[in-house]
Amino acid sequence: MNKKKKSPVLWLYLLLFSILLISFLTNTGNKIPEISWLEFERDILSQNDVEKIEVINQSVALIYIKSEEGSGSEIKSLQDRFYGSASRPQYSIRLGSLENFEKKLDEAQKDFAPEDQVQIRYVDRFEWSAFLSWIMPLAFLFLIWIFILGRMTSRGRAGSMFNFTKSTAKLTTKETKSSITFDDVAGLKEAKTEIMEIVDFLKNPEHYTRLGAKIPKGVMLVGPPGTGKTLLAKAVAGEAQVPFFFLSGSEFVEMFVGVGASRVRDLFKQAKEHAPSIVFIDEIDAVGRARNRANVFQANDERENTLNQLLAELDGFGVNTGVIVLAATNRADILDKALLRPGRFDRHIYLELPSQKERMEIFKVHIRPLKLAADIDLENLSKLCPGFSGADIANICNEAALIAARKKSDKVCQADFMRARDRIVGGIERKNKITSAKEKEIIAYHEAGHAVSSWHLKHVDSLMKVSIIPRGKSLGSAWYLPEERQIVTKSQFIDQICASLGGRVAEEIVFGDVSSGALDDLEKVTKQAYNMVAYLGLDEEIGPISFYDSTGKNEQMLVKPYSEEMAQRIDREVHKLVTTAYERTRELLMEHRDELEALTRLLIKKEVVDKDDLEEIMGKRNTSLQGESVR
Ligand code: ATP
């Protein structure tokens, strides 16, 4: 029979309970009334009632009363009723100094007959109460410590406190197979093919080894957040018929020195025991960050030890041992180069944000559990969600269902999806946030300024609607349909900067005064301008120079990678770029002032203005101006 082992924590609780019990038993009903020397001398000693005195541990004198003499003492007769007679002490006196007590006793018995003189017996005894008074606080602190440790280790699922150096990986085997399969992963065709190949390596290694090929050891999944890296790995767990160890990089990191490294050792030991097997380390950047030679504060020693152990383990298992390590990160740029070299994570699978077609497929996966109305147009929906990741799409589907449920409708319709999209992009509508008419007017001019300027700028994305209903943190918004592009030209950047400045310019033209409402726009514009000048080499004066650092090491440095003079030149150029764009926008809006006024009036009346209204006021947008914008 498999006898379950009692956990050490349980033993500790039992010990504490026993101590409490003993203290209870030794204390209750045993309390001996304490009296002062004066009371003792006046009421007991002078009556010649004392049978004997015992001094315990030189600190307490126990007074035993003569049984046959008791009637003379009022107190004693009372005591007798409660405690019975002289086999146990009736009173105690706490001694300040033993010598003093002896002296006072001699003095008090000076006139007693020798046979009446009371002698002192000295006894040394183990005192439970004294023992408990120091053991209890210690035991209490110890239990709190165990409790905290237990909470920490249970977070890592390592079992009890005594095996927190063990790996915390979750093991999925054939029997406990993950329910996610490749069917649940939409799009990502190339990634799926590559990862299927890895599963095949493990299932049929002889296909490859007979030709002398070495099975790869490590595969790194790289891509922006929410693009399905974890999902893909879970699908591998579901599809591969081999044990699958799943853990997150942060699970190696503990506050105790050496725990990370020993967890890595344990993980690989277990993986080898279960070979052929797959290990998946999610968010590997938590341990795999580049080791910094100039680590002034020595704060990352533990992480570096863990990384070193990981590197050693990856080297340590020979080729074709049947263990493949998958890892995922969205910061491949900050990973240590040693981790990515051939022989370790040498295969890289890049997951991109989904294209429009892929978005449609992802929508199809996530609408499976929903009850849909007939008007759902997935193609349109996927077009209206450019730049959205798989996670965003999953979120939209869920949000749309919640919106429909809130309306108590029995089907989810297209409008619910659109509202869900707006809510995810812009935040929750807060209609009552703006209360004064003046503020509403300023916001309306501000948004109209963005709308009119972007309508007449060649390279700005299509404008879909303008709203002055506050959402999330913003007070109003202009909704664009961004083009799906991989590169951005200088003129596109400049047009975008002008459109972002449109709101501030409109306020200045109309009111001759400016407000704080342009903070977000100005922040965006300034960052964009610095990007153009210092990173992308798009400024003529600075030239094709980039101070961008893809390794991320510069972020930790306190000094800039350029001279003071260059810093001043960059600042000057950024200022010039933004002020030139500002003047250009002002001219544009002065030219179309009537449109600005008309759109503002409509916005104040309707709060949300869509594309048809915009066309009515400003005419059809000249499509030849707009490049290949998606409309
Ligand atoms: P992170 O880097 O932030 O950890 P990730 O790339 O690991 O992100 P996942 O956790 O895999 O992202 O994806 C989050 C959710 O997004 C998934 O649970 C899934 O619902 C949805 N999702 C992402 N990509 C896809 C896809 N290709 N097909 C279906 N659903 C997807």
Side-chain angles (χ1 to χ4, degrees), residues 180 184-188 223-232 234 280 282-283 328-330 351 354 358 361-362 365-366 389-395:
I180 297 172
D184 299 307
V185 186
L188 309 178
T227 40
K229 299 179 290 293
T230 314
L231 186 75
L232 199 59
K234 283 185 178 161
F280 175 60
D282 205 358
E283 319 289 355
T329 179
N330 37 45
L351 308 190
E358 286 174 322
E361 285 175 39
I362 299 175
V365 168
H366 290 286
S389 67
D392 293 328
I393 294 173
N395 199 7

Side-chain angles (χ1 to χ4, degrees), residues 329-376:
T329 179
N330 37 45
R331 295 293 314 268
D333 51 330
I334 59 161
L335 289 183
D336 201 284
K337 292 282 169 283
L339 206 54
L340 302 174
R341 76 140 167 80
R344 292 194 182 121
F345 288 102
D346 42 8
R347 281 210 168 201
H348 299 172
I349 299 180
Y350 290 95
L351 308 190
E352 306 268 318
L353 284 173
S355 64
Q356 190 240 315
K357 213 165 138 248
E358 286 174 322
R359 286 199 296 273
M360 202 158 109
E361 285 175 39
I362 299 175
F363 264 115
K364 279 185 194 156
V365 168
H366 290 286
I367 56 170
R368 273 185 214 155
L370 308 184
K371 277 195 178 169
L372 296 179
D375 69 341
I376 298 293

Side-chain angles (χ1 to χ4, degrees), residues 124-136:
D124 280 334
R125 209 189 263 172
F126 180 73
E127 279 290 322
W128 268 106
S129 55
F131 171 70
L132 286 172
S133 68
W134 66 263
I135 199 79
M136 289 293 282

Side-chain angles (χ1 to χ4, degrees), residues 342-533:
R344 292 194 182 121
F345 288 102
D346 42 8
R347 281 210 168 201
H348 299 172
I349 299 180
Y350 290 95
L351 308 190
E352 306 268 318
L353 284 173
S355 64
Q356 190 240 315
K357 213 165 138 248
E358 286 174 322
R359 286 199 296 273
M360 202 158 109
E361 285 175 39
I362 299 175
F363 264 115
K364 279 185 194 156
V365 168
H366 290 286
I367 56 170
R368 273 185 214 155
L370 308 184
K371 277 195 178 169
L372 296 179
D375 69 341
I376 298 293
D377 180 354
L378 287 186
E379 191 172 346
N380 185 29
L381 261 180
S382 53
K383 273 187 188 160
L384 291 171
C385 299
F388 281 40
S389 67
D392 293 328
I393 294 173
N395 199 7
I396 288 184
C397 292
N398 188 47
E399 195 64 44
L402 290 177
I403 290 172
R406 222 169 285 143
K407 286 192 310 191
K408 304 222 172 0
S409 47
D410 37 338
K411 297 228 162 99
V412 190
C413 62
Q414 181 84 359
D416 298 328
F417 277 95
M418 294 316 300
R419 285 185 60 192
R421 184 199 75 130
D422 290 356
R423 187 176 168 160
I424 283 164
V425 176
I428 302 172
E429 274 189 4
R430 291 153 72 189
K431 285 200 169 173
N432 298 326
K433 193 169 172 184
I434 301 299
T435 44
S436 99
K438 183 70 193 166
E439 276 199 351
K440 196 169 174 180
E441 191 189 5
I442 297 175
I443 296 165
Y445 270 111
H446 185 104
E447 294 310 325
H450 284 307
V452 175
S453 53
S454 51
W455 198 260
H456 296 288
L457 285 163
K458 188 174 169 183
H459 297 294
V460 179
D461 297 320
S462 257
L463 187 61
M464 298 307 294
K465 68 174 178 184
V466 187
S467 149
I468 56 165
I469 301 174
R471 256 181 198 279
K473 267 168 56 194
S474 71
L475 299 173
S477 43
W479 299 75
Y480 296 90
L481 186 56
E483 218 181 299
E484 303 214 8
R485 50 166 102 92
Q486 307 301 323
I487 48 170
V488 185
T489 63
K490 183 174 172 183
S491 14
Q492 283 166 343
F493 270 125
I494 292 178
D495 278 5
Q496 276 168 12
I497 289 181
C498 290
S500 302
L501 290 170
R504 159 59 68 100
V505 174
E507 283 181 43
E508 200 199 311
I509 292 175
V510 176
F511 300 106
D513 193 7
V514 284
S515 75
S516 62
L519 175 65
D520 280 354
D521 298 331
L522 299 184
E523 185 191 354
K524 200 165 81 187
V525 163
T526 312
K527 280 192 182 147
Q528 193 133 296
Y530 269 103
N531 260 341
M532 288 173 67
V533 176

